[in-house]
């Protein structure tokens, strides 16, 4: 199946920002969506808006750090739509801070959300894709996976892990599966600076307000990777504002 229309696509982190924009973009092109996040009110708003516009979407409350939750997300796709064509692993947190602040809970959250969360998605979707003999992983990393800037080291390390895991998965995927990495630069979302140390948050929000792209720019890149004909595997897309250094 090529294109987007009719594909069953699960998106994590769909309650705001890039995930929400991706869901909106894919729904407008006829995808059938299974949307995951923790905030029920925000997720319901996204599902209701898509449904009101004639799209097809269900919401599943998931914490990607929990293996069983990812299984419930992929099960929901199969139960509701009979298959799963794409898993977009987008959930993330940018609670960055200098090491000296010893915000170890935030370090743990970034590792658990970006690394364990991605692995939980692979663990849940891979058996479904193997059974179907088709499927696509679309993993959201960051330009921080390419350049480390203080105080983003922990965040950058976890996003570098996303990049490495994606490439390893691609090498093992075989001819039936596709594996894509999308790395955004500064994108105008509520997640920028959220939970970060005050100084880091101010710097990030300042840059965001000055140069950031709309989340629809990333949604389009994700849509491009998904829309390619079978047999065409988009490996890696980096999208950043032209003003980003
Ligand atoms: P948002 O904060 O708007 O979105 C983050 C999403 O992830 C929310 O839907 C949030 O939902 C969800 N999420 C966070 N933790 C979990 C969890 N444990 N389980 C399930 N869902 C979770 O930020 P963005 O849209 O900007 O971020 C999306 C992705 O893009 C992230 O991976 C981020 O690292 C990446 N990115 C963003 C950039 C930017 O400049 N904005 C730049 C580069 C990469 P909820 O709280 O409801 O669970």
């Amino acid at each position: 199946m090529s294109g987007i229309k009719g594909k069953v696509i699960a998106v994590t982190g769909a309650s705001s920002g890039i995930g929400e924009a991706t869901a909106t973009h894919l729904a407008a092109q006829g995808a059938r969506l299974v949307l995951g996040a923790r905030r029920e009110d925000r997720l319901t708003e996204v599902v209701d808006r898509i449904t009101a516009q004639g799209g097809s979407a269900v919401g599943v409350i998931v914490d990607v750090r929990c293996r069983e939750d990812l299984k419930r997300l992929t099960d929901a796709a199969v139960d509701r739509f009979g298959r799963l064509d794409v898993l977009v692993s987008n959930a993330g947190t940018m609670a960055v801070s200098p090491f000296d602040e010893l915000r170890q809970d935030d370090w743990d959250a970034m590792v658990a959300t970006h690394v364990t969360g991605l692995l939980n998605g692979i663990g849940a979707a891979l058996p479904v894709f193997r059974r179907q003999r088709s499927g696509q992983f679309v993993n959201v990393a960051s330009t921080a996976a390419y350049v480390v800037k203080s105080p983003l080291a922990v965040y950058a390390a976890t996003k570098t892990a996303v990049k490495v895991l994606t490439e390893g998965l691609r090498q093992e995927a075989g001819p039936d599966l596709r594996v894509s990495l999308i790395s955004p630069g500064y994108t105008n979302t509520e997640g920028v600076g959220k939970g970060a140390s005050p100084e880091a948050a101010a710097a990030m929000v300042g840059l965001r307000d000055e140069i950031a792209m709309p989340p629809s720019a990333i949604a389009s890149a994700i849509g491009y990777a998904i829309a390619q004909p079978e047999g065409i595997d988009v490996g890696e897309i980096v999208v950043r504002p032209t003003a980003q250094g």
Side-chain angles (χ1 to χ4, degrees):
M1 195 194 291
S2 64
I4 291 174
K5 194 172 167 49
K7 277 191 177 158
V8 179
I9 303 176
V11 182
T12 69
S15 60
S16 63
I18 290 169
E20 177 180 1
T22 299
T24 305
H25 177 75
L26 297 174
Q29 296 182 61
R32 295 174 288 170
L33 298 170
V34 182
L35 304 178
R38 294 165 303 176
R39 287 171 297 173
E40 187 170 11
D41 54 339
R42 295 288 297 269
L43 190 62
T44 302
E45 270 175 42
V46 176
V47 168
D48 288 351
R49 198 179 57 246
I50 287 172
T51 308
Q53 287 167 356
S56 177
V58 290
V60 182
I61 303 305
V62 298
D63 186 328
V64 297
R65 297 171 292 186
C66 172
R67 201 181 289 178
E68 290 73 29
D69 282 14
L70 262 299
K71 181 79 170 56
R72 282 196 296 106
L73 188 76
T74 56
D75 282 351
V78 176
D79 291 348
R80 173 73 183 258
F81 299 116
R83 58 185 293 111
L84 175 67
D85 295 298
V86 185
L87 172 63
V88 180
S89 291
N90 160 77
T93 169
M94 291 174 269
V96 303
S97 55
F99 282 113
D100 273 327
E101 289 189 10
L102 295 177
R103 293 191 178 204
Q104 288 180 253
D105 287 346
D106 293 343
W107 304 347
D108 289 350
M110 284 187 272
V111 172
T113 307
H114 303 151
V115 184
T116 309
L118 177 63
L119 293 172
N120 287 339
I122 293 170
L126 189 57
V128 181
F129 291 168
R130 289 294 187 211
R131 223 170 23 244
Q132 294 172 172
R133 295 181 177 278
S134 80
Q136 182 175 14
F137 291 97
V138 177
N139 300 336
V140 176
S142 167
T143 49
Y146 300 80
V147 184
V148 187
K149 286 187 180 159
S150 173
L152 274 72
V154 177
Y155 178 77
T158 62
K159 290 299 188 175
T160 303
V162 171
K163 183 160 155 272
V164 170
L165 292 168
T166 302
E167 173 56 14
L169 183 62
R170 187 195 69 75
Q171 290 176 18
E172 293 183 28
D176 297 331
L177 307 193
R178 305 195 297 178
V179 184
S180 303
L181 184 77
I182 311 295
S183 290
Y186 267 96
T187 309
N188 193 353
T189 70
E190 66 185 48
V192 175
K194 191 168 159 184
S197 64
E199 208 175 307
M204 290 167 82
V205 168
L207 259 179
R208 179 193 65 189
D209 294 348
E210 204 182 320
I211 67 166
M213 324 169 269
S216 58
I218 307 305
S220 299
I222 291 172
Y224 173 80
I226 293 172
Q228 295 310 301
E230 260 177 72
I232 307 292
D233 194 9
V234 174
E236 215 168 308
I237 305 179
V238 180
V239 187
R240 58 168 80 79
T242 47
Q244 182 173 332

